[in-house]
């Protein structure tokens, strides 16, 4: 999810880097917009280093890209912490004299404010009126905590602790109050607009097999050709499926053991041949097969049984590659009636076409029921970073698009699988052959 984190100039700003870190660890992309006064407490380099995004305070800094409008339109959630009495007053009055307050006037997504100030300021009629007005307009203004303030004084006015703010964010997301972008295209999902809640056991009775990670192709016993896949997307899919009631097998290609989720059967593999064997072994009993692994397209034509040695003449051994079989295509070919096969495609886009164009061509080529097309680059797709995904059907038509953390993308994928199974049930029932339940 794209979050704007506004920071105004109160001493509580010193706690906000912890909040920023937690948001990033949960997979959110966070842009920090401090006020000039906030930078007196925590400097721009701290915000930039922790958010990996630039930090500016004035609308004139990003005048060429009209940042206050661009950032406001892209935001899916705004958090202002701490929100000082001054910030609350400016927001309530609609004053736009810096980047943060100007952006607050352009956002249409939910806004969560965490006030922090001295008790007298919090209790002043002006602040009370500003808070009431903001709440009336739908801004989620938290009550400050009661406790120690800047000095020895205590009372209401303390900013809630970062973990309490994280809980408030989670509650807000769970309430489903975030913007529904369904009018913008074929359908958009994020963690709060998931149509099938994770608490719904809508995958109960389904056996799903998911490949994850990246395969390795050995040149000799110690060297291999590999790729950058961390396996996190496949793990998120496995975790979400298990939570939604499925019986899950995770075919894990070279995944760090500490990342493996509980409650799923794990089959560890290394090479493409092993991964193909594991998927085909599982396929006859599976209702859903997901190929989320990054499979090596090529392997060395021969692998040395012993370690390849350097020679004194400096001649480098030739590396001849042969193509690996396409596991997804073979699963599609062997698909039994009613079985759903899902593929993933990581694309960068190039001179020959955009991410989506390459994705469409691949959807037609592979024939999977659903193909999740990921835009990958230096800051998207690999590792613990936010993801964006277009879900295409076998004709290359976009079914839905989603973005956010890998958990959000996993939810989008499972929602689409559930919808597909329900549509098929309906079609069968319409044709007089069904009982209304997914073919399981
Ligand atoms: N895949 C597979 N077997 C392969 C290569 C890929 O099953 N030998 C699967 C991946 O797990 C993924 C989908 O095919 O679900 C698309 O993978 P990708 O690497 O994007 O596609 P390729 O067919 O390898 O095409 P290219 O690399 O040329 O874009």
């Amino acid at each position: 999810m794209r979050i704007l984190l506004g920071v105004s100039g109160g001493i509580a700003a010193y706690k906000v880097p912890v909040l920023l870190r937690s948001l990033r660890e949960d997979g959110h992309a966070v842009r920090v917009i401090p006020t000039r006064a906030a930078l007196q407490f925590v400097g721009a380099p701290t915000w930039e280093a922790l958010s990996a995004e630039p930090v500016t305070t004035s609308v004139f800094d990003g005048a060429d890209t009209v940042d206050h409008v661009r950032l406001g339109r892209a935001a899916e959630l705004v958090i202002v912490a701490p929100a000082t009495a001054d910030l609350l007053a400016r927001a309530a009055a609609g004053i736009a004299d810096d980047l943060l307050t100007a952006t607050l006037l352009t956002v249409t997504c939910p806004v969560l404010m965490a006030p922090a100030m001295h008790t007298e300021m919090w209790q002043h009629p002006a602040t009370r009126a500003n808070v009431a007005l903001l709440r009336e307009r739908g801004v989620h203004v938290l009550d400050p905590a009661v406790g120690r303030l800047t000095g020895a004084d205590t009372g209401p006015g303390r900013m809630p602790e970062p973990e309490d703010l994280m809980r408030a964010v989670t509650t807000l997301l769970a309430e489903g109050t975030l913007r529904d972008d369904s009018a913008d295209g074929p359908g958009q999902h994020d963690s709060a607009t998931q149509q099938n809640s994770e608490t719904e056991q809508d995958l109960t009775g389904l056996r799903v097999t998911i490949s994850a990670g990246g395969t390795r192709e050995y040149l000799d016993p110690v060297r291999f050709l590999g790729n950058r896949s961390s396996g996190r997307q496949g793990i998120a899919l496995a975790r979400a499926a298990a939570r939604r009631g499925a019986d899950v097998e995770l075919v894990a290609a070279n995944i760090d053991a500490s990342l493996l989720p509980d409650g799923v059967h794990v089959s560890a593999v290394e090479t493409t041949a092993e991964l193909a064997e594991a998927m085909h072994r599982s396929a006859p009993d599976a209702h859903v097969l997901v190929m989320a692994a990054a499979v090596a397209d090529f392997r060395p034509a021969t692998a040395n049984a012993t370690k390849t040695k350097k020679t004194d003449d400096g001649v480098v051994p030739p590396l001849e590659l042969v193509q690996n079989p396409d596991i997804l295509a073979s699963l599609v070919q062997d698909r039994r009636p009613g079985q759903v096969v899902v593929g993933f495609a990581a694309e960068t886009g190039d001179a020959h076409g955009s991410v989506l164009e390459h994705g469409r061509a691949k959807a037609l080529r592979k024939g999977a029921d659903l193909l999740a097309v990921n835009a990958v680059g230096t800051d998207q797709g690999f590792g613990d970073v936010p993801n964006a995904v277009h879900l295409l059907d076998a004709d290359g038509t976009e079914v839905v698009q989603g973005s956010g953390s890998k958990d959000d993308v996993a939810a989008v994928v499972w929602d689409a699988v559930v919808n597909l199974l329900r549509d098929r049930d309906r079609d069968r029932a319409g044709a007089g052959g069904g009982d209304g339940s997914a073919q399981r």
Side-chain angles (χ1 to χ4, degrees), residues 18-32:
V18 177
L19 173 66
L20 170 56
R21 207 180 191 136
S22 303
L23 291 167
R24 296 269 293 151
E25 276 166 6
D26 274 9
H28 301 296
V30 186
R31 168 79 184 239
V32 182

Side-chain angles (χ1 to χ4, degrees), residues 5-20 32 34-35 37-43 46-47 50 81-84 114 116 159 162:
L5 178 56
V7 186
S8 58
I11 183 73
Y14 83 92
K15 294 182 194 168
V16 179
V18 177
L19 173 66
L20 170 56
V32 182
T35 61
L39 295 182
Q40 301 278 348
F41 297 93
V42 180
T46 301
W47 303 121
L50 290 177
T84 57
M159 190 181 79

